[in-house]
Amino acid sequence: MEHSLPVDRLPEAFASGAVLTDIRDAVSFEYGTIPGAVSKPALYDEAENASLARECRYILCDKDGSVSPAIAEKMRLLGYDAVSLAGGYAAWLEYRFAHPDPDKRKEVEKSLSKQFSKCLFTPFVKAINEFDMVCPGDKIAVCISGGKDSMLLAKLFQQLKRHNKFPFELVFLVMDPGYSPANHRAIERNAELLGIPVTIFESTIFDTVYGIEKSPCYLCARMRRGYLYSKAKALGCNKIALGHHYDDVIETILMGMLYGGQVQTMMPKLRSTNFEGMELIRPMYLVREKDIKRWRDQMDLHFLQCACRFTETCTSCREDGSSASKRMEIKQLIANLKQINPMVESNIYKSVMNVNLATVIRYKDKEGVPHSFLEEY
């Protein structure tokens, strides 16, 4: 009796009625899974409680095949027909990359000009115009981490470049801070699939932050930005573009208030204080994450969840150093509030655009100098 199933035999397993169960956590499943898989992170608990159907075969999928074999063995001891997917989700991704769809690039580009134009390309252009992000003569380094947001950012910029109302240049920049070989290949192959001509350079950031206990994600993010600025400037760029979206913005506002005790936001653009003449822009500032996910899933695209060597969840790789659990708490809080008030997201966003200093007890000016309302009382 076989105890593991190679990924190339999944189609015949599906045809025979087998159930592909993804035992990774719900966050990982949401970032990407094998089509047809069912999310069951507590599969073994259900098996122990005899709440699983015994008449079907279960194929267990984890991240890389390191966990599922032991759980499948335990399930077999309970009388279930259970096998592990050899190599897990990572092996399936490798298989997919080895058998690419030759029409995928055209399909994706057509989707951005047709089906997803209104919810993706239109707010992308609106943010660029509203916050004056792209100017004639700019040379912009589009920074790609390998996830859904940065890959979409690259495709949206390519779409904008085709309109070419005024001259500007693009460089698609990937920094490898110490990715695993599998993650490095995944970025390269997705870029090739989507027709993104990436420039890849290496750094040793992951090794540098490995032993740091306090805020390693914050330090890693700050270092990554510094390396991106430096490389972009060396390539003749005057701007770097990051893939933060609308949901990142409102989550950051709430996180600052609830965890940081301050009112601040993720700005649509910033001048660099350490690299003269360089600027950071966030052209997806008005794009909703739900629309990005819908585009990814309908196009059947599979990006990195997180290329970090030390964490499974890329929501922890934020420049505020916030952990995945904190950001997920904020996501859930917003979702709960939205059930009571459907406008809560837009109201959070508007709150930092309608600050009335006359009603603020204390604030800081551009130089960081604090001022009290008593100064002019």
Side-chain angles (χ1 to χ4, degrees):
M1 178 181 176
E2 63 179 357
H3 291 167
S4 67
L5 183 79
V7 293
D8 60 350
R9 290 180 55 193
L10 269 177
E12 65 180 81
F14 282 135
S16 67
V19 178
L20 179 61
T21 53
D22 193 322
I23 61 174
R24 298 174 301 158
D25 62 89
V27 176
S28 298
F29 182 85
E30 183 179 331
Y31 269 87
T33 190
I34 301 171
V38 178
S39 177
K40 283 188 176 293
L43 178 69
Y44 183 68
D45 292 339
E46 293 184 41
E48 271 195 317
N49 297 331
S51 58
L52 286 177
R54 291 184 178 272
E55 62 272 12
C56 63
R57 188 181 211 201
Y58 295 95
I59 304 170
L60 280 60
C61 173
D62 62 7
K63 175 188 175 185
D64 54 10
S66 59
V67 175
S68 58
I71 298 177
E73 173 65 23
K74 290 181 180 179
M75 289 182 64
R76 287 194 293 273
L77 293 175
L78 294 175
Y80 289 93
D81 182 2
V83 298
S84 62
L85 182 66
Y89 181 59
W92 180 83
L93 276 180
E94 287 281 355
Y95 181 80
R96 277 288 300 267
F97 289 139
H99 301 80
D101 179 353
D103 297 322
K104 182 59 68 177
R105 174 182 175 179
K106 291 181 180 178
E107 182 186 354
V108 166
E109 291 173 353
K110 183 179 178 181
S111 76
L112 294 177
S113 62
K114 300 290 185 182
Q115 181 183 1
F116 290 93
S117 176
K118 186 175 181 179
C119 63
L120 294 179
F121 188 65
T122 297
F124 169 77
V125 174
K126 180 180 178 182
I128 287 175
N129 291 334
E130 183 173 333
F131 299 113
D132 196 21
M133 294 185 187
V134 180
C135 303
D138 278 346
K139 187 173 183 179
I140 303 168
V142 182
C143 301
I144 299 174
S145 66
K148 68 184 193 313
D149 304 329
S150 62
M151 285 292 189
L152 173 60
L153 176 66
K155 293 308 297 180
L156 289 172
F157 259 119
Q158 285 183 327
Q159 187 86 345
L160 182 69
K161 183 66 175 170
R162 291 188 188 97
H163 292 273
N164 216 27
K165 292 185 177 179
F166 53 77
F168 67 94
E169 296 181 59
L170 297 172
V171 173
F172 300 98
L173 197 57
V174 177
M175 182 192 63
D176 183 343
Y179 293 154
S180 68
N183 282 333
H184 187 105
R185 286 195 301 271
I187 294 175
E188 287 181 317
R189 292 182 178 182
N190 264 324
E192 183 180 355
L193 181 72
L194 296 174
I196 303 170
V198 293
T199 297
I200 302 177
F201 71 101
E202 297 182 355
S203 72
T204 58
I205 291 176
F206 283 174
D207 290 334
T208 303
V209 303
Y210 179 72
I212 296 175
E213 296 182 3
K214 186 176 181 181
S215 301
C217 293
Y218 176 81
L219 177 61
C220 179
R222 300 300 292 182
M223 290 180 68
R224 280 189 284 123
R225 185 187 292 188
Y227 271 96
L228 288 168
Y229 267 131
S230 180
K231 184 64 175 181
K233 189 168 186 177
L235 292 173
C237 300
N238 64 313
K239 293 179 180 178
I240 65 172
L242 303 184
H244 297 115
H245 47 68
Y246 183 88
D247 297 69
D248 289 327
V249 176
I250 61 175
E251 289 162 14
T252 299
I253 295 169
L254 274 190
M255 290 189 73
M257 294 174 66
L258 301 183
Y259 294 113
Q262 56 189 343
V263 177
Q264 64 177 18
T265 189
M266 183 180 282
M267 298 297 287
K269 64 179 185 179
L270 292 167
R271 288 193 179 95
S272 172
T273 54
N274 298 319
F275 296 86
E276 187 177 356
M278 295 293 293
E279 191 174 45
L280 179 154
I281 59 174
R282 296 184 169 104
M284 297 210 305
Y285 203 78
L286 302 178
V287 176
R288 297 304 310 269
E289 186 177 29
K290 63 180 176 62
D291 294 320
I292 301 173
K293 290 179 178 178
R294 190 162 56 89
W295 168 77
R296 175 200 64 191
D297 296 342
Q298 289 194 26
M299 292 296 103
D300 192 20
L301 297 169
H302 297 268
F303 302 117
L304 296 187
Q305 175 190 340
C306 182
C308 179
R309 195 190 299 164
F310 317 114
T311 179
E312 290 296 316
T313 311
C314 64
T315 46
S316 66
C317 298
R318 301 290 179 173
E319 50 192 53
D320 55 14
S322 60
S323 70
S325 58
K326 286 182 180 179
R327 192 163 285 273
M328 291 308 296
E329 285 175 14
I330 293 297
K331 282 181 179 289
Q332 188 58 53
L333 174 60
I334 293 173
N336 293 340
L337 291 171
K338 193 176 177 181
Q339 293 179 1
I340 303 170
N341 176 11
M343 300 299 294
V344 69
E345 292 161 306
S346 62
N347 285 341
I348 293 172
Y349 177 73
K350 291 175 182 176
S351 69
V352 293
M353 300 181 72
N354 294 304
V355 178
N356 184 349
L357 290 182
T359 65
V360 174
I361 297 173
R362 192 168 178 261
Y363 69 93
K364 294 179 180 179
D365 61 24
K366 290 189 297 183
E367 283 70 40
V369 178
H371 298 275
S372 167
F373 81 103
L374 291 173
E375 294 176 9
E376 298 183 6
Y377 186 74

